[in-house]
């Protein structure tokens, strides 16, 4: 009997990300299967993903920060939890109910969670996240992985699927963009290439 699996060319496009980074007009960047897998593997290594990894996609789904972890979690067979919008009380409830270990959060979002959970109705200790404030740090588990210890940063554009450089690689290095992923070549080119 024939296999139900179809051979896939690793270099074939798997995802088209639209961006207006060129002349202010929408353009699609085509990312291959292997590029997406390589990016996810780098991110998962730097974040030191553990068993039971559960990602709460509470950021905008068009944002590359949400997409990076969504794809990486899907790749490793982790658990994905989605909410249609960032509502602090609901996000606190989801972290508690689903035992989320990572989420898409920025400073003002974190402040909203602290305020929504000031009475400690919800147990947020499953969330392994970056230190932010004394109140926040008491609610969560402050993560010491290179991803969180570096303040979750690097540099990348939508059209490369997320990060090309990671602050969590070679911690203590100079610069604010981090070191290039071992799976990419970072070049600064002029108009002539």
């Amino acid at each position: 009997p024939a296999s139900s699996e179809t051979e896939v060319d690793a270099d074939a496009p798997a995802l088209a990300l639209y961006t207006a980074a060129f002349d202010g007009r929408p353009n699609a960047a085509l990312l291959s299967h292997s590029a997406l897998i390589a990016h996810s593997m780098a991110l998962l290594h730097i974040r030191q993903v553990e068993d039971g990894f559960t990602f709460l996609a509470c950021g905008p789904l068009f944002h590359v920060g949400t997409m990076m972890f969504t794809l990486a979690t899907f790749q490793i067979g982790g658990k994905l939890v989605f909410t249609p919008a960032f509502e602090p009380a609901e996000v606190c409830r989801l972290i508690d109910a689903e035992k989320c270990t990572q989420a898409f959060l920025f400073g003002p979002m974190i402040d909203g969670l602290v305020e929504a959970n000031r009475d400690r109705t919800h147990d947020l200790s499953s969330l392994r996240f970056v230190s932010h404030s004394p109140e926040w740090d008491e609610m969560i588990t402050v993560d010491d992985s290179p991803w969180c210890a570096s303040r979750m940063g690097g540099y990348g554009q939508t059209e490369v699927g997320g990060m090309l450089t990671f602050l969590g690689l070679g911690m203590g290095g100079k610069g604010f963009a981090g070191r290039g992923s071992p799976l990419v070549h970072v070049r600064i080119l002029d108009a002539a290439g």
Side-chain angles (χ1 to χ4, degrees), residues 49-172:
V49 170
E50 65 282 346
D51 287 340
F53 189 78
T54 301
F55 179 65
L56 174 59
C58 58
L61 293 179
F62 63 81
H63 194 288
V64 73
T66 305
M67 187 199 72
M68 299 190 304
F69 267 107
T70 298
L71 292 177
T73 305
F74 181 74
Q75 181 173 318
I76 62 160
K79 182 177 177 181
L80 289 164
V81 178
F82 292 94
T83 185
F86 179 78
E87 174 60 45
E90 175 63 2
V91 168
C92 287
R93 187 193 71 76
L94 287 170
I95 292 169
D96 186 6
E98 302 293 339
K99 302 300 177 220
C100 299
T101 53
Q102 179 75 34
F104 178 93
L105 300 169
F106 286 119
M109 297 166 85
I110 294 171
D111 294 337
L113 296 177
V114 168
E115 187 58 37
N117 199 43
R118 195 160 294 284
D119 61 1
R120 304 294 176 100
T121 299
H122 299 289
D123 178 6
L124 308 185
S125 63
S126 64
L127 191 68
R128 296 176 47 91
F129 208 76
V130 66
S131 175
H132 177 72
S133 67
E135 298 87 1
W136 174 249
D137 294 357
E138 288 174 12
M139 289 183 190
I140 65 157
T141 300
V142 176
D143 187 45
D144 61 358
S145 71
W147 175 253
C148 287
S150 68
R151 309 297 289 179
M152 307 180 303
Y155 177 78
Q157 291 284 355
T158 300
E159 49 277 0
V160 298
M163 303 288 188
L164 284 175
T165 67
F166 293 91
L167 289 172
L169 285 174
M171 296 258 301

